[in-house]
Amino acid sequence: MVETFKALGDKLSNWGRWGVDDQKGTLNLITAEMVRAASGSIRSGKVFELSLPLGHDGPQRGGHGRFNPQHSMSVLPGEFATPDGLVVTDDVLILPLQCATQWDSLAHVGYDDKFYNDVTASESVTARFGASRNSIDAVLPGAVGRGVLLDIARLRGVEWIRAQDDPIGPEELERAEAEQGVRVGAGDILLVRTGWRRKAIVEGWSKEWITVNPGLGLDCAEWLCEREVSVLAADNWGVEVQPSRTDGAYLPLHCVMLRDVGMMFGEMFDLEDLAADCLDDGQWDFFFSAPPLRVVGAVGSPVAPIAVK
Amino acid sequence: MVETFKALGDKLSNWGRWGVDDQKGTLNLITAEMVRAASGSIRSGKVFELSLPLGHDGPQRGGHGRFNPQHSMSVLPGEFATPDGLVVTDDVLILPLQCATQWDSLAHVGYDDKFYNDVTASESVTARFGASRNSIDAVLPGAVGRGVLLDIARLRGVEWIRAQDDPIGPEELERAEAEQGVRVGAGDILLVRTGWRRKAIVEGWSKEWITVNPGLGLDCAEWLCEREVSVLAADNWGVEVQPSRTDGAYLPLHCVMLRDVGMMFGEMFDLEDLAADCLDDGQWDFFFSAPPLRVVGAVGSPVAPIAVK
Amino acid sequence: MVETFKALGDKLSNWGRWGVDDQKGTLNLITAEMVRAASGSIRSGKVFELSLPLGHDGPQRGGHGRFNPQHSMSVLPGEFATPDGLVVTDDVLILPLQCATQWDSLAHVGYDDKFYNDVTASESVTARFGASRNSIDAVLPGAVGRGVLLDIARLRGVEWIRAQDDPIGPEELERAEAEQGVRVGAGDILLVRTGWRRKAIVEGWSKEWITVNPGLGLDCAEWLCEREVSVLAADNWGVEVQPSRTDGAYLPLHCVMLRDVGMMFGEMFDLEDLAADCLDDGQWDFFFSAPPLRVVGAVGSPVAPIAVK
Amino acid sequence: MVETFKALGDKLSNWGRWGVDDQKGTLNLITAEMVRAASGSIRSGKVFELSLPLGHDGPQRGGHGRFNPQHSMSVLPGEFATPDGLVVTDDVLILPLQCATQWDSLAHVGYDDKFYNDVTASESVTARFGASRNSIDAVLPGAVGRGVLLDIARLRGVEWIRAQDDPIGPEELERAEAEQGVRVGAGDILLVRTGWRRKAIVEGWSKEWITVNPGLGLDCAEWLCEREVSVLAADNWGVEVQPSRTDGAYLPLHCVMLRDVGMMFGEMFDLEDLAADCLDDGQWDFFFSAPPLRVVGAVGSPVAPIAVK
């Protein structure tokens, strides 16, 4: 029920915890000491980049504000010619900031006209200036620290979890920890693999892919807070299971985590190669870095996340 | 003279060094072992993000393909309303890929109709598909490893070097090394501070700022190769001194380094806070990560570089 | 004073005159019979097109939402090649709808949270859907009928009126009528030439050009209503004199005419050739047509107006 | 066969007819006297506007350079607030120039690297500047004159012609003339209705709609020249039947008419209301005006065509 998630949000609220002007939310959980310690997860020096291609062959289906990026060349070879034979090219991109691999800022989802830290939604975001509070450029450098991958698709023994399957709950996250021999701790950046990216590789993009997805249930909210996770990302567009299993609530986990807890979500991360490597060497943690672009007033940002093992 | 830089390019050429199909150039110099070793530069866990704001108050002056980014909201609070009180926002960005802090791909600059590794420029880049070779998405994860900052403005004792001042030469880079107690080595990511970003902070953006800049002279090319630098970035739009001091050559260092050597340039990095901190603690190296966006066929990419000390 | 224009707006209000759902305002004044009669103004068959070029060399100076159009090619010759030798090209345009020659819709300017015909501004325009009332696509085919040109710059004997010169008042419009031997009547489309376009031809675009302009004073409002003008256009960006001569009011003539009277304004029309021809043959009226693009929910539209004599 | 259309193009070529520098092609056929005479087709003063909505619910299916327009608000009510209560809004549009109702310029289709009037395609169009010859802004004011509608769907007694049905040939155009009591003459703007727009109204946009269409066969080329038609437009995206019935030729009628004859095509015109009215009053000609936007270097343009009866 709607009351359920709002009560939960109230219970888990971090409003004021890092000051009334705070815009970083649970990113504050990452201390310099944690970043330093995370460098210890770099053991072999392998680097994994976790983004989807930004091109017109992407997951979006069109419609207002949700299209695949449009790339165009503004200068081609030979068009800016100087006597020394110089060749220069240049290009322009049009992209919905959340069209592919991306961060939700804390100004992306809220409820009852509030975003994180008591910011009034309707007053803080305008067509003219974007978000004046909780925008993505307020969190730079963003999530840099220790990352942990939990591979739930593998735990269930499936290529990918289906949208209609049981949502991922806290006990399943803990079973994955036990199975993988890793523990999610304070300040950690948690990556959850549902296999939904794998589905797109096998079947191609589809209306189903971008309309529903497997993911975390609302009952993960408390667990994420107890473990003091700093940010959460997944290999699908919604992170939380879609459609929601909470009656009358469309994005209840977003609502609680982004608005009340102050935790950013990362979406459409490509975890395939990283997961394969982790399975191979049994190391499921890594140094992680995924700064958003410093887009002034933006409510989301494309990102090229990296995991270094 | 034009012949000068072409002869130099021929001498320093890395074409074929990493295979005839290679598109990564000197990024190949960074080994996994170097990445692992670079983790040792993380001592305190401080994170610096090095990008300029992406907004309409930026360095560009307009004109074809070179404008400041345009951000627009596609959904504002209250516009996607559901009975549970959900608030959702969404936004779109239009940006020239090289309008602010960015990477030049190896398909951005060449000469005599060739890009790095014998790629024919006029055949490899089209309006329809962008760059089919040497595009920015071919280098992912890009520059991740040990970064070193050389602060030449500080070495000269000026707030910023003027465009008409002497170009930065190899001996000056070595004096900076000696002064700072750091040495640029194989696979290192070299950041050079000219103070040009500082000028913009003090004076605001101007036509001068984006038209000329202080920077490296052509005689740095050989030194960069000897030291086996992997990529080079600076705090201005051109990296190399503009206008060029090589008669008849517009971008001779770009030409040699991008086309012949295969070294990407990073431009308009904001090195102010990082330089201040390095001066403070005397540590001029750090773990560096700056993956470009995975824009299919793009010749450049905005980037949010981070340095972790 | 502010009260002045609001009282005037109240006096001249056409709200409800053409029904509570009307979105066309004074365009309703143009009857089919008037269109038929306007065909009589076609005497020689000469056609004049009145738009500025849409390119990056335009009047805008950059900044949020007010930049010159950006045109890019998405397919160039040779890129979509078929065995029969076919050549195809394609292109994309990014344009602020009011960046050059354009119509203000009745959802573009209002005051006290109201647009024409008692539409609540804050409720009727959203980032998601644009204007749900009074949008430009609601007025199609727009202004088609008899046009009349009054050349005030010529009347004053100047190349162009300066922004600081006296605003154009109703008596001056009547002097122009007398001088030119033409009379503005019911349903007419009135074009006023201030010479401001001429200034740009002579001096180039400038910050001054797009910041201030000569134009009509607030005292023209009543006259425009008495004459039953259908729409008003001028050769500058503001139609009315800028800065306003009404204390505390920024765009008082817009406020009264668009919001209360329901009269669309056309801006940045190029009247140079038409004016020269009218002077030459002494015919100052013509068949006029300037349909906006049918952009769903737009508050303005670029236009290519034609006058046929 | 491919040879067929090239031989036909050679036979019908207008290259040089209006000078070696001509860029207007058969628009030159419209004389001022014809425009004057066309005013006689205005009998009742009814105005019809013939464009499709420009919104995200349009015929395009996405992909590079072929998406539906994206409209965004850059200023919403309340965001540019002054003490006098002023409300201002502003907006921006991103549109492929040929995404909906539009003109093909003579730089849009050619073959064997030539466009109209011996212009070398590969040299005349660049990413940087667009088309330097035959661009859409070179034809202003474009097609203004007498329009004639031939309703072939009605002639065949169908709601719409199917793509697999027989192409429209010259004898059928003449049967329509006879049936409708109208004759296409020198300088006339010819509009052909296939009912394809009707199909979209009934069935909604579909992949089929934008992939194939009924239309004119290649054998109409000679007839269009004999009649000295100035421009040709239809109610579908291709004007000519798609797929082509000429072996190995993709767009043979475009090739001959645009490149050799120099006749612009208008596409996706909405002829429904106009056709109904013409059937009703038996008058199939009208005053027609459809100036393209003056987009510098563009190869096409959106348009809001009007027919006045």
Side-chain angles (χ1 to χ4, degrees):
Chain A
M1 291 185 306
V2 171
E3 291 70 29
T4 314
F5 84 76
K6 295 187 182 179
L8 186 62
D10 193 49
K11 178 180 174 189
L12 300 178
S13 173
N14 280 322
W15 292 11
R17 177 173 174 185
W18 296 286
V20 294
D21 290 333
D22 179 62
Q23 304 180 67
K24 293 197 173 187
T26 49
L27 281 172
N28 287 291
L29 294 168
I30 309 179
T31 64
E33 169 54 27
M34 287 177 192
V35 176
R36 196 203 55 72
S39 69
S41 300
I42 302 179
R43 298 170 209 178
S44 62
K46 277 186 288 189
V47 183
F48 298 86
E49 199 279 332
L50 312 179
S51 68
L52 297 180
L54 281 167
H56 60 82
D57 180 22
Q60 301 302 329
R61 311 282 293 175
H64 178 65
R66 287 280 170 131
F67 51 92
N68 290 311
Q70 287 285 337
H71 175 247
S72 62
M73 299 302 307
S74 47
V75 182
L76 281 178
E79 298 183 357
F80 185 87
T82 55
D84 59 343
L86 181 67
V87 175
V88 175
T89 61
D90 235 343
D91 45 5
V92 175
L93 190 69
I94 306 170
L95 86 163
L97 289 166
Q98 311 202 6
C99 63
T101 307
Q102 54 97 9
W103 287 115
D104 286 353
S105 83
L106 299 181
H108 175 55
V109 171
Y111 62 87
D112 294 348
D113 203 22
K114 290 288 181 182
F115 288 132
Y116 169 67
N117 221 2
D118 205 19
V119 168
T120 301
S122 56
E123 292 171 0
S124 64
V125 193
T126 62
R128 195 172 176 206
F129 298 114
S132 60
R133 300 282 301 161
N134 291 330
S135 63
I136 201 67
D137 56 319
V139 306
L140 267 295
V144 178
R146 178 181 181 247
V148 173
L149 171 63
L150 296 181
D151 188 340
I152 310 302
R154 179 180 158 271
L155 184 73
R156 294 197 187 181
V158 296
E159 253 198 310
W160 60 83
I161 307 172
R162 297 173 305 168
Q164 67 268 40
D165 291 340
D166 284 344
I168 299 167
E171 66 298 329
E172 194 168 23
L173 296 173
E174 295 190 352
R175 278 206 307 280
E177 287 183 315
E179 177 82 18
Q180 298 176 192
V182 70
R183 186 180 162 84
V184 177
D188 280 355
I189 292 137
L190 176 59
L191 310 184
V192 175
R193 184 174 174 275
T194 67
W196 205 242
R197 167 56 179 147
R198 180 86 198 131
K199 177 180 166 77
I201 292 170
V202 172
E203 300 183 346
W205 303 115
S206 65
K207 186 172 178 186
E208 182 201 2
W209 197 92
I210 200 65
T211 310
V212 298
N213 66 218
L216 278 66
L218 183 56
D219 54 356
C220 291
E222 202 146 4
W223 187 90
L224 292 165
C225 290
E226 284 166 5
R227 292 298 183 92
E228 300 205 284
V229 166
S230 59
V231 293
L232 170 65
D235 59 349
N236 54 40
W237 62 270
V239 177
E240 68 179 297
V241 67
Q242 283 288 305
S244 151
R245 306 300 150 82
T246 306
D247 276 358
Y250 186 69
L251 290 166
L253 190 64
H254 274 75
C255 285
V256 169
M257 300 311 293
L258 272 74
R259 177 201 193 259
D260 296 308
V261 175
M263 185 183 296
M264 288 177 15
F265 280 2
E267 293 165 344
M268 293 189 259
F269 282 38
D270 185 342
L271 304 174
E272 295 309 286
D273 291 349
L274 178 62
D277 188 83
C278 292
L279 181 60
D280 194 48
D281 69 5
Q283 181 195 336
W284 295 87
D285 70 340
F286 32 81
F287 186 83
F288 178 87
S289 170
L293 294 183
R294 196 183 284 274
V295 186
V296 180
V299 300
S301 175
V303 64
I306 60 160
V308 190
K309 292 181 63 177
Chain B
M1 293 184 305
V2 170
E3 291 69 27
T4 314
F5 84 76
K6 294 188 182 178
L8 186 62
D10 192 49
K11 177 179 173 190
L12 301 178
S13 172
N14 281 322
W15 291 12
R17 178 173 172 185
W18 296 286
V20 294
D21 290 333
D22 179 62
Q23 304 180 68
K24 294 196 172 188
T26 49
L27 281 173
N28 286 292
L29 294 168
I30 310 178
T31 64
E33 169 53 26
M34 288 176 192
V35 175
R36 197 203 54 72
S39 69
S41 299
I42 302 179
R43 297 171 209 179
S44 63
K46 278 186 287 190
V47 183
F48 297 86
E49 199 280 329
L50 312 179
S51 68
L52 297 180
L54 282 167
H56 58 82
D57 180 22
Q60 301 302 329
R61 311 282 293 172
H64 177 65
R66 287 279 171 132
F67 51 93
N68 291 310
Q70 288 285 338
H71 176 246
S72 62
M73 299 302 306
S74 47
V75 182
L76 282 177
E79 297 183 359
F80 186 87
T82 54
D84 59 343
L86 181 68
V87 175
V88 174
T89 62
D90 233 343
D91 44 6
V92 175
L93 190 70
I94 306 170
L95 87 162
L97 288 167
Q98 310 203 6
C99 64
T101 307
Q102 53 96 9
W103 286 116
D104 287 353
S105 83
L106 299 181
H108 176 54
V109 172
Y111 61 88
D112 294 348
D113 203 22
K114 290 288 181 180
F115 288 132
Y116 169 68
N117 222 0
D118 205 20
V119 169
T120 301
S122 56
E123 291 172 0
S124 64
V125 193
T126 62
R128 195 172 176 207
F129 297 113
S132 61
R133 299 282 301 161
N134 291 330
S135 63
I136 201 68
D137 56 319
V139 306
L140 266 297
V144 178
R146 178 180 182 248
V148 173
L149 171 62
L150 295 182
D151 188 341
I152 310 302
R154 180 179 158 270
L155 184 72
R156 293 195 187 182
V158 296
E159 253 199 310
W160 59 83
I161 306 172
R162 296 171 306 167
Q164 67 268 41
D165 291 341
D166 284 343
I168 299 167
E171 65 297 329
E172 194 170 23
L173 295 173
E174 295 189 354
R175 278 207 307 282
E177 286 183 316
E179 176 83 19
Q180 297 177 192
V182 70
R183 185 179 164 85
V184 176
D188 280 357
I189 292 139
L190 176 58
L191 310 183
V192 175
R193 183 174 175 274
T194 66
W196 205 242
R197 167 59 178 145
R198 180 89 198 128
K199 177 181 167 75
I201 292 170
V202 171
E203 300 183 345
W205 302 116
S206 66
K207 187 172 178 184
E208 182 201 3
W209 197 92
I210 200 65
T211 309
V212 298
N213 66 218
L216 278 66
L218 183 56
D219 55 355
C220 291
E222 202 145 4
W223 188 89
L224 292 164
C225 289
E226 284 166 6
R227 292 299 183 91
E228 300 206 283
V229 165
S230 59
V231 294
L232 171 64
D235 59 349
N236 53 41
W237 61 270
V239 176
E240 68 179 297
V241 67
Q242 283 289 305
S244 151
R245 306 300 149 82
T246 306
D247 275 0
Y250 185 70
L251 290 167
L253 190 64
H254 274 75
C255 284
V256 170
M257 300 311 293
L258 273 73
R259 176 200 193 260
D260 296 309
V261 176
M263 185 183 294
M264 288 177 15
F265 279 3
E267 292 165 343
M268 293 190 261
F269 282 37
D270 185 341
L271 305 173
E272 295 308 286
D273 290 349
L274 178 62
D277 188 82
C278 291
L279 181 61
D280 194 48
D281 69 5
Q283 181 195 336
W284 294 88
D285 70 339
F286 32 81
F287 185 84
F288 179 87
S289 170
L293 293 182
R294 197 183 285 273
V295 186
V296 180
V299 300
S301 175
V303 63
I306 61 160
V308 189
K309 291 180 64 178
Chain C
M1 291 186 305
V2 171
E3 290 69 29
T4 315
F5 83 76
K6 294 187 182 179
L8 186 62
D10 192 49
K11 178 179 173 189
L12 301 178
S13 172
N14 280 323
W15 292 11
R17 178 172 172 186
W18 297 286
V20 293
D21 290 331
D22 179 62
Q23 304 180 67
K24 294 197 172 187
T26 49
L27 281 173
N28 286 292
L29 293 168
I30 308 178
T31 63
E33 169 53 26
M34 288 177 192
V35 175
R36 197 203 54 72
S39 69
S41 299
I42 302 179
R43 297 168 210 180
S44 63
K46 277 186 289 190
V47 182
F48 298 86
E49 198 280 331
L50 312 179
S51 68
L52 298 180
L54 281 167
H56 59 83
D57 180 22
Q60 301 301 329
R61 311 282 292 173
H64 178 63
R66 285 280 170 132
F67 50 94
N68 290 311
Q70 288 285 337
H71 176 246
S72 62
M73 299 301 307
S74 47
V75 182
L76 282 177
E79 297 183 358
F80 186 87
T82 54
D84 59 343
L86 181 68
V87 175
V88 175
T89 62
D90 234 343
D91 45 5
V92 175
L93 191 70
I94 306 170
L95 87 162
L97 288 166
Q98 310 202 5
C99 63
T101 307
Q102 53 98 8
W103 287 116
D104 287 352
S105 83
L106 299 181
H108 175 55
V109 172
Y111 60 88
D112 295 347
D113 203 20
K114 289 288 182 183
F115 288 132
Y116 170 67
N117 222 2
D118 204 21
V119 168
T120 302
S122 55
E123 292 172 358
S124 64
V125 193
T126 62
R128 195 171 175 206
F129 298 114
S132 60
R133 300 281 301 161
N134 290 330
S135 62
I136 201 67
D137 57 318
V139 305
L140 266 295
V144 178
R146 179 182 182 249
V148 173
L149 171 63
L150 296 181
D151 188 341
I152 309 302
R154 179 178 159 272
L155 184 72
R156 293 196 188 181
V158 295
E159 252 198 311
W160 60 83
I161 306 172
R162 296 172 306 168
Q164 66 267 41
D165 291 341
D166 284 344
I168 299 166
E171 65 298 328
E172 193 169 25
L173 295 173
E174 295 189 354
R175 279 207 307 280
E177 287 183 317
E179 176 82 17
Q180 299 175 191
V182 69
R183 186 179 162 85
V184 177
D188 280 357
I189 293 138
L190 176 58
L191 309 184
V192 175
R193 183 174 175 275
T194 67
W196 205 242
R197 167 57 179 147
R198 180 88 198 130
K199 176 181 167 76
I201 291 171
V202 171
E203 299 184 345
W205 303 116
S206 65
K207 186 172 177 185
E208 183 201 2
W209 197 92
I210 200 65
T211 311
V212 298
N213 67 217
L216 277 67
L218 182 56
D219 55 354
C220 291
E222 202 146 5
W223 187 90
L224 292 165
C225 290
E226 285 166 4
R227 291 299 183 91
E228 300 206 283
V229 166
S230 58
V231 293
L232 171 64
D235 59 350
N236 53 41
W237 62 270
V239 176
E240 68 178 298
V241 67
Q242 282 289 303
S244 152
R245 306 299 151 83
T246 306
D247 276 357
Y250 186 70
L251 289 167
L253 190 64
H254 274 75
C255 285
V256 170
M257 300 311 292
L258 272 73
R259 176 202 194 259
D260 297 308
V261 175
M263 185 183 296
M264 288 178 14
F265 279 4
E267 291 164 344
M268 294 190 260
F269 282 37
D270 185 342
L271 305 173
E272 296 308 287
D273 291 349
L274 178 62
D277 188 83
C278 291
L279 181 60
D280 194 49
D281 70 4
Q283 180 195 337
W284 294 88
D285 69 341
F286 33 81
F287 185 83
F288 179 87
S289 169
L293 294 183
R294 196 184 284 274
V295 187
V296 179
V299 300
S301 175
V303 64
I306 62 161
V308 190
K309 292 181 63 177
Chain D
M1 290 187 306
V2 170
E3 291 69 30
T4 314
F5 83 77
K6 295 187 182 179
L8 186 62
D10 192 50
K11 178 180 174 188
L12 301 178
S13 173
N14 280 322
W15 292 10
R17 177 172 173 186
W18 296 286
V20 293
D21 290 332
D22 180 62
Q23 303 179 69
K24 294 197 172 187
T26 48
L27 281 173
N28 286 293
L29 293 168
I30 310 178
T31 64
E33 169 53 26
M34 287 177 192
V35 176
R36 196 204 55 73
S39 70
S41 298
I42 302 179
R43 299 171 208 178
S44 63
K46 277 187 287 189
V47 183
F48 298 86
E49 199 281 330
L50 312 179
S51 68
L52 296 181
L54 281 167
H56 59 82
D57 180 22
Q60 302 302 328
R61 310 281 295 173
H64 178 65
R66 286 280 171 131
F67 51 93
N68 290 311
Q70 287 285 337
H71 175 247
S72 62
M73 300 301 307
S74 47
V75 182
L76 282 178
E79 298 183 358
F80 186 88
T82 55
D84 59 344
L86 180 68
V87 175
V88 174
T89 61
D90 234 344
D91 44 5
V92 175
L93 191 69
I94 305 170
L95 86 162
L97 288 166
Q98 310 202 6
C99 63
T101 308
Q102 53 98 8
W103 286 115
D104 286 353
S105 83
L106 299 181
H108 175 55
V109 172
Y111 61 88
D112 294 348
D113 203 22
K114 290 288 182 182
F115 288 132
Y116 169 69
N117 222 2
D118 205 19
V119 169
T120 302
S122 56
E123 291 172 359
S124 64
V125 193
T126 62
R128 195 171 176 207
F129 298 113
S132 60
R133 299 282 302 160
N134 291 330
S135 62
I136 201 69
D137 56 319
V139 306
L140 266 297
V144 178
R146 178 182 183 248
V148 173
L149 171 63
L150 296 182
D151 188 341
I152 309 302
R154 180 179 158 271
L155 184 73
R156 294 197 188 180
V158 296
E159 255 200 307
W160 60 83
I161 306 172
R162 296 172 305 167
Q164 67 267 40
D165 290 342
D166 283 344
I168 299 166
E171 66 298 329
E172 194 169 23
L173 296 173
E174 295 189 353
R175 278 208 306 281
E177 286 183 316
E179 176 83 16
Q180 298 176 194
V182 69
R183 185 180 164 84
V184 177
D188 280 357
I189 293 139
L190 175 59
L191 310 184
V192 175
R193 184 175 175 275
T194 67
W196 205 241
R197 168 56 179 149
R198 180 87 198 130
K199 176 181 167 76
I201 292 170
V202 171
E203 299 183 347
W205 302 116
S206 66
K207 186 171 178 185
E208 182 201 2
W209 197 91
I210 200 66
T211 310
V212 299
N213 65 219
L216 278 66
L218 183 56
D219 55 354
C220 291
E222 203 147 5
W223 187 90
L224 292 165
C225 290
E226 285 166 5
R227 292 298 183 92
E228 300 206 285
V229 166
S230 58
V231 294
L232 171 65
D235 60 349
N236 53 40
W237 62 270
V239 176
E240 67 179 299
V241 66
Q242 282 289 307
S244 150
R245 305 301 150 83
T246 307
D247 276 357
Y250 186 69
L251 289 167
L253 191 64
H254 274 74
C255 284
V256 169
M257 300 312 292
L258 272 73
R259 176 200 193 259
D260 297 309
V261 175
M263 184 182 297
M264 287 177 15
F265 280 2
E267 293 165 342
M268 293 190 260
F269 282 37
D270 184 341
L271 305 173
E272 296 307 288
D273 291 348
L274 177 63
D277 188 82
C278 292
L279 181 61
D280 194 49
D281 70 4
Q283 181 195 338
W284 294 88
D285 70 339
F286 32 82
F287 185 83
F288 179 87
S289 170
L293 293 183
R294 196 184 284 274
V295 186
V296 179
V299 300
S301 174
V303 64
I306 61 161
V308 190
K309 292 179 64 177

